Amino acid sequence: MYWIFLIIFITVVLVPDIIRTNFYIISETRLEEILIFFMGAVAFAIFIKNERQLIFHKKEKEKDKKKIEQTVKDLVESYSYIGEVNRKMDLLMNTALGLSDRSALSKTHEKETYQSIVSATSFLLKADSVSLRFVNINDLKTKKEFRSENSGGMVKNDILAEMEEGINFKKNDDCLIISSSQKINGIKSYLIICGFDEKEENNPKNIEILKVFASQALFLYSYTHNEPKNCPPCETKK
């Protein structure tokens, strides 16, 4: 490109030496002017074309840069999502494994399992406060309750009892209520989650995991209190 401009420049400088006579009816001076104008027009056209190419390449680079940035962002989100899913599966598996070894279900281990369920629930929904409550549906008395460190958003037992049979999911003001899928000897377990992330709450997989947590908590409570051994068959969801 630089050589082309150099040739044009040299040609323009040598125009008076190149043209020495008239060309038909066109005088020598006019012919020199025409040739200089033509060479200048050619140089200007080449410059404009080169400028457009530079602008085009610049835009393409910006597009490629945005694509790369978006790809990196998507990869980060994908890895983050995969890590979060793995974490959720670990929480679910650890809780399930903690209930499988009945020989190790001491009072201390029972409490640790309940607290792990509370912690896992808080993690899943990124909640401000979570409580796990066992309620006797017959007299609406709380049998046991475990709360997260930032406890709040108290929900009365009569509101919990208002959940219809077969309904394990309910919202009450800014709190989310997840109940066990069944009751054993009139006892049901409830996860009360307040200040949660709505995006996480709209994820159906999270809700299903929380239902499993609530049911596992009830099974643990029933086993440790020896209620299934000397009682009528447990009432189940129709």
Side-chain angles (χ1 to χ4, degrees):
M1 186 62 66
Y2 296 105
W3 290 106
I4 295 176
F5 282 108
L6 179 60
I7 293 171
I8 292 174
F9 174 75
I10 294 173
T11 303
V12 169
V13 171
L14 297 177
V15 163
D17 295 326
I18 297 173
I19 301 176
R20 294 179 177 274
T21 59
N22 296 337
F23 184 75
Y24 294 105
I25 61 174
I26 304 175
S27 65
E28 178 184 347
T29 303
R30 185 65 62 189
L31 189 59
E32 290 175 353
E33 292 175 349
I34 292 173
L35 184 56
I36 291 172
F37 175 79
F38 174 76
M39 298 302 291
V42 171
F44 182 74
I46 294 173
F47 175 79
I48 292 298
K49 182 180 179 181
N50 187 52
E51 185 73 13
R52 288 182 177 177
Q53 286 180 344
L54 290 174
I55 293 173
F56 174 78
H57 289 308
K58 184 178 180 181
K59 289 182 178 180
E60 288 297 313
K61 286 182 179 179
E62 290 178 353
K63 289 181 180 179
D64 292 339
K65 184 179 179 181
K66 289 181 179 179
K67 288 180 180 179
I68 293 173
E69 291 176 350
Q70 185 62 42
T71 301
V72 172
K73 183 179 179 181
D74 292 341
L75 284 173
V76 171
E77 290 179 353
S78 297
Y79 283 126
S80 177
Y81 176 76
I82 292 171
E84 187 172 349
V85 170
N86 289 337
R87 174 60 176 158
K88 291 176 181 179
M89 293 304 298
D90 288 341
L91 291 171
L92 186 59
M93 290 298 297
N94 289 339
T95 304
L97 291 173
L99 295 177
S100 63
D101 188 5
R102 296 190 172 187
S103 62
L105 288 179
S106 62
K107 291 294 182 181
T108 301
H109 186 238
E110 177 190 5
K111 182 178 179 181
E112 289 176 352
T113 303
Y114 292 144
Q115 291 295 349
S116 68
I117 290 175
V118 170
S119 298
T121 301
S122 179
F123 171 81
L124 284 177
L125 264 63
K126 300 177 182 177
D128 295 332
S129 64
V130 176
S131 64
L132 172 63
R133 188 182 304 173
F134 299 93
V135 179
N136 188 320
I137 301 302
N138 298 323
D139 56 14
L140 298 183
K141 289 184 178 180
T142 299
K143 307 298 290 185
K144 271 189 178 183
E145 185 169 10
F146 296 86
R147 300 181 182 179
S148 60
E149 293 181 358
N150 299 323
S151 59
M154 293 297 296
V155 178
K156 295 182 179 180
N157 289 345
D158 54 351
I159 295 177
L160 302 180
E162 289 176 358
M163 296 179 68
E164 298 179 4
E165 187 70 22
I167 303 299
N168 310 114
F169 175 89
K170 178 181 179 180
K171 281 188 176 180
N172 182 68
D173 295 332
D174 63 338
C175 295
L176 183 66
I177 303 171
I178 305 290
S179 71
S180 57
S181 58
Q182 58 186 337
K183 57 184 176 180
I184 300 178
N185 295 328
I187 305 295
K188 290 193 74 171
S189 60
Y190 296 89
L191 282 168
I192 305 168
I193 310 151
C194 301
F196 54 87
D197 188 329
E198 292 185 359
K199 182 179 178 180
E200 297 297 332
E201 180 261 328
N202 290 329
N203 186 342
K205 293 182 180 179
N206 288 344
I207 301 302
E208 292 303 316
I209 291 175
L210 295 179
K211 289 179 181 178
V212 172
F213 282 168
S215 296
Q216 287 180 333
L218 179 61
F219 293 150
L220 175 60
Y221 177 88
S222 174
Y223 176 79
T224 54
H225 288 75
N226 298 319
E227 292 181 353
K229 294 182 179 179
N230 299 310
C231 68
C234 304
E235 300 178 30
T236 57
K237 179 176 66 175
K238 295 181 180 181

